[in-house]
Amino acid sequence: MKDIQILKQELENGKYTDTFCSLCTSEEERLYQRNKYIQAIDRFCQNFGTKSVEIYSTPGRSEVCGNHTDHQRGMVLAAAVNMDAVAVAAPREDTQVCLYSEGFGMVELDLGNLEKQKREEGTTMSLIRGVAAGMKKKGYQVGGFEACVVSDVLSGSGLSSSAAFEGLIGTILSGLYNEQRLPQEENAKIGQFAENVYFGKPSGLMDQMACCLGGLVYIDFQNVEKPKVRKLNVDFEKFAYALCITHTKGSHADLTDDYAAIRQEMEAVAGFFGKDVLREVDEEEFYEKIGTVREKTGDRAVLRAIHFFEEEKRVLRAVR
């Protein structure tokens, strides 16, 4: 913990330049990030006053390949991006959470009750309560806190702003109450639990894993309780590549039902073969019986199953 005014002064005087150099590739980006942290501190002071705080950050992520495979226990290749959610946070002596998010305003809730609240589904409150409940369930301490969040992970953009937020809440609670002992793989699983159960979206685990682990990661979800995770040390610039994000002004925010339909239709095909997910289905048998599968599950479900099998091969090629 550090006095917030001292922390701001240190940022302004360039004390953390080396830290930003390890995260950013240009002087312009380093300046942008430093100013974002200072902005978060200013917002905290405006909302909660001057006190000792800590700063936390979780990045957004971009899928590289392995599209809609994680919830079928498939393989993915994903990368954290240099857009992140930054929180300035301080603990409270009670169980109240007061979180101000730039552009969204103040959210307040009491973690004294960690039961799912039906009326909170689809809200920021559900994610905070869900992460706290997931941590408590796994034996970690939780408590109230005040936080100001500034994020450039655009909401509904496909960069997993919700997963970044879940990872950020888990990291705050880990830092303030658990001496940062929560492993990031565990943090990702807790984030997925919050999104599935409390928020009400049946997401896989790719988004949370990529946001929490950082870097470029290959993940095999065949054993969903213990996924195989391998960081890939690839410098895109050596291949003259850059990962570009285009802001299309569209939003994924209201597509939960469409997302759920993808999973339901893939699992309908798996169910035809007496399996739970497509990873358990033999590809050759699928193609041998594709006509009957199509009659039972429909064209779109069959196309989505084909997509799954092709994505699995593409991930392995990309990793190699």
Side-chain angles (χ1 to χ4, degrees):
M1 303 290 289
K2 182 169 283 191
D3 180 271
I4 197 166
Q5 297 290 14
I6 295 173
L7 190 55
K8 180 180 178 180
Q9 191 172 28
E10 289 176 344
L11 280 162
E12 290 174 336
N13 292 339
K15 179 175 180 179
Y16 302 104
T17 299
D18 289 346
T19 301
F20 289 124
C21 283
S22 69
L23 297 170
C24 307
T25 57
S26 70
E27 180 60 34
E28 180 183 19
E29 192 181 345
R30 285 192 284 274
L31 183 61
Y32 167 78
Q33 289 294 339
R34 189 193 72 176
N35 290 339
K36 185 170 69 174
Y37 279 61
I38 292 171
Q39 179 190 358
I41 285 174
D42 287 341
R43 292 291 182 271
F44 185 96
C45 290
Q46 289 168 13
N47 285 280
F48 307 114
T50 304
K51 55 188 70 177
S52 293
V53 297
E54 294 186 349
I55 297 182
Y56 302 94
S57 166
T58 302
R61 74 97 189 102
S62 178
E63 172 189 298
V64 178
C65 59
N67 172 255
H68 283 288
T69 56
D70 56 334
H71 51 68
Q72 298 302 301
R73 299 185 200 162
M75 295 174 279
V76 302
L77 183 61
V81 297
N82 57 350
M83 296 172 164
D84 63 345
V86 170
V88 178
R92 289 175 59 104
E93 294 183 357
D94 56 18
T95 55
Q96 190 77 10
V97 171
C98 302
L99 184 142
Y100 175 84
S101 184
E102 189 78 352
F104 295 93
M106 185 74 74
V107 169
E108 297 183 9
L109 67 153
D110 191 344
L111 298 184
N113 178 8
L114 294 179
E115 294 297 316
K116 177 184 174 180
Q117 307 296 307
K118 184 70 177 175
R119 67 181 184 279
E120 290 179 356
E121 275 193 6
T123 70
T124 299
M125 287 187 289
S126 70
L127 295 178
I128 298 171
R129 199 183 303 277
V131 169
M135 289 186 67
K136 190 78 172 178
K137 193 175 179 181
K138 290 180 179 291
Y140 293 95
Q141 297 297 313
V142 300
F145 61 88
E146 296 167 341
C148 179
V149 177
V150 174
S151 177
D152 50 18
V153 185
L154 301 169
S155 179
S157 65
L159 296 176
S160 293
S161 58
S162 60
F165 183 77
E166 293 150 14
L168 186 65
I169 297 301
T171 304
I172 290 171
L173 290 171
S174 178
L176 295 181
Y177 292 105
N178 298 276
E179 299 177 334
Q180 209 61 269
R181 289 184 290 104
L182 177 66
Q184 284 302 322
E185 286 189 28
E186 204 64 45
N187 192 13
K189 292 176 186 176
I190 289 168
Q192 186 201 20
F193 164 79
E195 189 156 324
N196 288 178
V197 178
Y198 281 66
F199 187 84
K201 181 177 179 180
S203 68
L205 189 54
M206 175 183 70
D207 297 353
Q208 291 83 1
M209 276 289 187
C211 290
C212 289
L213 294 175
L216 184 68
V217 289
Y218 160 69
I219 313 169
D220 184 342
F221 291 107
Q222 186 167 26
N223 181 348
V224 76
E225 290 302 315
K226 292 185 177 180
K228 294 178 183 175
V229 180
R230 179 155 60 97
K231 281 205 171 191
L232 303 176
N233 294 316
V234 177
D235 183 351
F236 276 22
E237 290 186 352
K238 287 182 179 178
F239 297 89
Y241 287 161
L243 180 63
C244 298
I245 309 297
T246 302
H247 185 14
T248 65
K249 307 297 193 291
S251 175
H252 290 187
D254 60 351
L255 298 181
T256 297
D257 291 344
D258 298 278
Y259 178 94
I262 296 171
R263 183 169 184 168
Q264 289 162 2
E265 290 176 7
M266 285 184 167
E267 289 172 3
V269 174
F272 175 90
F273 294 94
K275 308 295 184 182
D276 293 325
V277 291
L278 286 175
R279 181 65 178 266
E280 300 171 338
V281 175
D282 181 78
E283 185 180 359
E284 287 187 14
E285 185 182 3
F286 165 75
Y287 281 111
E288 286 172 4
K289 299 178 178 177
I290 193 168
T292 311
V293 176
R294 182 184 173 199
E295 289 175 7
K296 295 289 185 183
T297 64
D299 288 348
R300 194 167 68 177
V302 166
L303 287 171
R304 284 175 167 165
I306 293 170
H307 168 83
F308 171 83
F309 291 124
E310 292 305 310
E311 283 293 277
E312 290 286 270
K313 298 168 194 171
R314 197 161 73 95
V315 169
L316 290 175
R317 288 198 302 271
V319 170
R320 281 198 298 270

